[in-house]
Amino acid sequence: MVRYAEPGTVEWVESGGGPLVAVPEAVLPFWTGADGEETASDYDRACEVDGLLGLLPVGDATALVLGDEPAATAFLPEHGTLVRWIAGDSEAELLASVPAALHTARWQPEVHWKVPGTVVLFDAAWPGTGSTGTDQVSLTLAAGRYAVRAARVQPGPETWLVLVQLRPLP
């Protein structure tokens, strides 16, 4: 797998070409990835998500699918935001653009996502039990409901990113 992100400031997750998925740790064994024995695997279901994000049932919980195009993705907990690197000259430049991008973003309609706690972000092609040791990152989230919204932004002439913001609901 080609790595586009630079090592350093944050942990980036990349896919082999398909969507990324954030699956609650509690239901990781139920995510079959591309190995499903059904007509449509979990990976197939994730690939059918139209747009920047979507929700899919997994066990007794729900996974968040980051659709559209594969892109290196990092979680910035201080902003409650997943940042997807579409184009940019450097990690530092891209990350520095996030605060302003959050204020100018034109957000798509939000979805509501209920999580039981920590979720794991990884390539949707991998089975949940096989995601350890792959390109993944854990997102420590408090159990509860979140409003999730996404926006494609261009904070600079050569910088493009997708923001996926997770806001706790009361």
Side-chain angles (χ1 to χ4, degrees), residues 35-55:
D35 297 338
E37 295 179 18
E38 299 173 17
T39 329
S41 68
D42 287 337
Y43 176 73
D44 292 331
R45 294 187 314 135
C47 288
E48 290 175 3
V49 167
D50 188 28
L52 299 177
L53 58 88
L55 299 173

Side-chain angles (χ1 to χ4, degrees), residues 110-124:
E110 66 186 27
V111 298
H112 291 180
W113 184 31
K114 183 178 179 184
V115 297
T118 299
V119 300
V120 181
L121 179 70
F122 59 97
D123 187 331

Side-chain angles (χ1 to χ4, degrees), residues 49-54 65 67-68 104-112 147-153 161-165 167:
V49 167
D50 188 28
L52 299 177
L53 58 88
V65 178
D68 195 32
T104 60
R106 293 180 52 182
W107 299 100
Q108 294 182 355
E110 66 186 27
V111 298
H112 291 180
V148 184
R149 61 186 184 171
R152 184 182 311 274
V153 295
L161 50 106
V162 170
L163 302 172
V164 178
Q165 190 175 54
R167 295 177 297 122

